[in-house]
């Protein structure tokens, strides 16, 4: 097998993690690299930092795929006098490309949140905050029965009729159509001024709304009639299969203390470790997860009915308010499990590396993938607080004091 080009690898990555699903503020995609260069080795890492580039160059990687963007905020210079500029210069000089999949990898099936849920042993997962499914049209076309199959082929070629893993999906029924051509018409069937009756097929196919113009054009081109009869119906929207976070169930219920210990064992060790908020002996079965910073999803977590929520970067005030609200409403849930940002996103790397190698092989090429061995969590140590001393006894009131 031959090595794919960088452009080929980018296409494979973007099929799994569509850039269009990234948040509007995000910066994803190819940062540096020649689309025509061959890609033999790909290194996956959480952060685009100097030690990761050192590892990539030392391994002779052709591409580094990171979760976090290097250039999330605009810059006015990439001179090597800045740390980001120096990193980019080293990548270019070594011929190592850089690609970022960030919030698009968070939302994707098989992305960051699915990997985190799988690492924690969750089953039956669904998106915590589902993204809307792609808007769809239903195209309804009336065509002579003899031309129905040709019309279905033409609509399918234009992008209609794709449902999940199936293509060329269509529904047909038959009925009788009637029409009277005018003197100015050039009818394929019948003659001017005389009513015609034709046995027609009603063909129905769905298509993404963004393809509406192309599908209608393909229908007109393939249809034998001068003026085909058709409808385009906008289908109702519904939650899609992707979105932020995941919520699912443990295979067996446990306590918060035991669950937090299991989380610590499943994720890379960090200086922070794992913190939790709630009754250590409280029951945990249904769990929500969001890789990365997740305290903006508390309302979705509460609505999901999760017993515990695993995420990173939990701040004091939102956390305190969530716990106070639960107490005020007579509930102890959801419990909170706070992990290091790096640790929550790290499980995706192995899944992404394996998936890319499989996708390349399916296309007749081969790449070698590796997960970075560098732990890029910025925290390097922690000092545990000493046990709180017992409160001093209250002083005796002075003699004669009431």
């Amino acid at each position: 097998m031959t090595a794919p080009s960088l452009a080929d690898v980018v296409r494979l990555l973007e099929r799994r993690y569509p850039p269009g699903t990234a948040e509007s503020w995000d910066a994803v995609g190819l940062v540096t690299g020649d689309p025509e260069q061959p890609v033999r080795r790909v290194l996956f890492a959480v952060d685009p930092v100097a030690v990761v580039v050192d590892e990539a160059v030392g391994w002779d990687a052709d591409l580094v795929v990171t979760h976090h963007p290097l250039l999330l905020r605009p810059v006015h210079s990439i001179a090597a006098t800045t740390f980001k500029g120096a990193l980019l210069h080293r990548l270019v000089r070594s011929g190592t490309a850089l690609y970022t999949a960030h919030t698009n990898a968070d939302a994707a099936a098989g992305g960051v949140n699915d990997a985190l849920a799988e690492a924690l042993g969750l089953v039956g997962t669904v998106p915590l905050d589902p993204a809307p499914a792609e808007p769809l049209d239903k195209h309804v076309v009336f065509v002579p029965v003899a031309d129905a199959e040709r019309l279905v082929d033409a609509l399918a070629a234009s992008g209609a009729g794709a449902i999940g893993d199936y293509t060329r999906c269509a529904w047909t029924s038959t009925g009788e159509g009637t029409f009277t051509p005018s003197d100015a018409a050039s009818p394929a069937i019948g003659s001017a001024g005389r009513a015609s009756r034709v046995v027609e097929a009603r063909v129905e196919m769905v298509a993404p709304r963004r393809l509406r113009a192309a599908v209608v054009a393909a229908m007109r081109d393939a249809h034998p009639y001068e003026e085909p009869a058709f409808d385009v119906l906008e289908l109702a929207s519904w939650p899609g299969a992707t979105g932020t976070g995941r919520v699912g169930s443990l295979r067996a219920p446990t306590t918060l203390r035991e669950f937090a210990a299991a989380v610590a064992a499943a994720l890379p060790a960090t200086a922070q470790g794992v913190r939790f908020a709630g009754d250590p002996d409280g029951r945990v079965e249904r769990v929500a997860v969001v890789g990365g910073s997740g305290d903006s999803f508390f309302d979705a977590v509460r609505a999901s009915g999760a017993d515990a929520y695993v995420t990173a970067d939990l701040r004091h005030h939102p956390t305190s308010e969530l716990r106070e609200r639960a107490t005020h409403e007579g509930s102890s849930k959801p419990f909170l499990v706070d992990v290091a940002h790096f640790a929550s996103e790290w499980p995706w790397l192995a899944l992404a590396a394996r998936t890319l190698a499989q996708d390349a092989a399916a296309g007749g090429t081969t790449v070698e993938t590796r997960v970075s061995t560098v732990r890029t969590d910025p925290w390097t140590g922690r000092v545990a607080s000493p046990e709180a001393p017992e409160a001093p006894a209250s002083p005796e009131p002075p003699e004669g004091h009431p």
Side-chain angles (χ1 to χ4, degrees), residues 182-202:
S182 71
D183 291 339
S186 299
I189 297 174
S191 57
R194 300 185 62 179
S196 297
R197 294 186 179 276
V198 182
V199 176
E200 294 180 327
R202 174 189 172 109

Side-chain angles (χ1 to χ4, degrees), residues 3-401:
S5 68
L6 177 58
D8 292 333
V9 173
V10 168
R11 278 192 289 270
L12 294 177
L13 290 168
E14 293 187 347
R15 189 177 71 186
R16 293 283 181 176
Y17 318 112
T21 63
E23 297 290 340
S24 60
W25 50 263
D26 205 359
V28 301
L30 188 63
V31 179
T32 183
D34 180 354
E36 300 304 316
Q37 73 184 73
V39 174
R40 294 171 292 270
R41 289 181 165 181
V42 182
L43 181 71
F44 285 80
V46 173
D47 297 295
V49 293
V51 289
V52 168
V53 174
D54 291 342
E55 182 182 13
V57 172
W59 184 51
D60 197 23
D62 303 296
L63 171 64
V64 180
V65 176
T66 64
H67 182 51
H68 291 147
L70 176 66
L71 304 175
L72 181 59
R73 295 179 177 84
V75 297
H76 301 289
S77 170
I78 57 168
T81 53
T82 67
F83 73 94
K84 291 187 178 182
L87 188 147
L88 286 169
H89 278 258
R90 185 159 192 221
L91 287 168
V92 172
R93 284 197 303 268
S94 65
T96 309
L98 175 64
Y99 183 90
T100 297
H102 191 209
T103 53
N104 51 328
D106 289 334
V112 170
N113 288 300
D114 276 332
L116 177 57
E118 181 180 350
L120 302 186
L122 302 187
V123 295
T125 56
V126 296
L128 173 66
D129 184 23
E134 182 173 21
L136 296 177
D137 290 335
K138 179 188 285 188
H139 292 257
V140 181
V141 186
F142 301 88
V143 64
V145 171
D147 297 288
E149 287 299 304
R150 184 167 60 87
L151 181 72
V152 169
D153 288 337
L155 295 182
S158 70
I163 302 177
D165 294 329
Y166 296 84
T167 58
R168 203 182 176 276
C169 301
W171 185 86
T172 62
S173 63
T174 58
E176 186 177 74
T178 182
F179 52 87
T180 302
S182 71
D183 291 339
S186 299
I189 297 174
S191 57
R194 300 185 62 179
S196 297
R197 294 186 179 276
V198 182
V199 176
E200 294 180 327
R202 174 189 172 109
V203 176
E204 299 186 15
M205 298 178 76
V206 297
R209 197 164 299 161
R210 57 185 166 80
L211 298 180
R212 179 182 295 175
V215 173
V216 171
M219 179 274 296
R220 288 187 179 278
D221 188 57
H223 205 290
Y225 288 176
E226 183 180 26
E227 292 291 344
F230 67 96
D231 297 319
V232 179
L233 310 176
E234 293 189 355
L235 300 183
S237 61
W238 59 86
T242 63
T244 302
R246 296 293 184 266
V247 59
S249 299
L250 297 171
R251 295 186 184 277
T254 186
T255 65
L256 175 58
R257 180 189 291 107
E258 290 170 343
F259 176 62
V263 171
L267 300 181
T270 60
Q272 171 184 316
V274 174
R275 304 183 298 178
F276 63 85
D279 178 4
D281 297 318
R283 176 188 170 95
V284 174
E285 182 171 12
R286 187 165 175 80
V287 176
V289 302
V290 166
S293 304
D295 60 16
S296 61
F297 296 98
F298 282 167
D299 286 344
V301 172
R302 295 181 73 254
S304 75
D307 300 313
Y309 177 37
V310 181
T311 189
D313 299 340
L314 289 181
R315 296 171 293 166
H316 173 86
H317 292 296
T319 298
S320 176
E321 289 178 1
L322 179 71
R323 297 299 304 148
E324 285 292 298
R325 180 176 182 176
T327 300
H328 176 74
E329 295 177 353
S331 169
S332 61
K333 310 287 180 69
F335 303 136
L336 299 175
V337 179
D338 183 38
V339 303
H341 192 120
F342 161 83
S344 71
E345 295 168 336
W346 184 85
W348 171 69
L349 302 180
L351 177 58
R354 184 170 63 250
T355 300
L356 177 61
Q358 292 170 348
D359 289 347
T365 59
T366 183
V367 293
E368 181 181 358
T369 61
R370 175 189 286 188
V371 172
S372 173
T373 58
V374 178
R375 294 189 177 180
T376 54
D377 181 60
W379 302 104
T380 58
R382 179 176 65 88
V383 177
S385 299
E387 292 295 328
E390 292 184 9
S394 299
E396 292 292 331
E399 187 175 347
H401 194 279

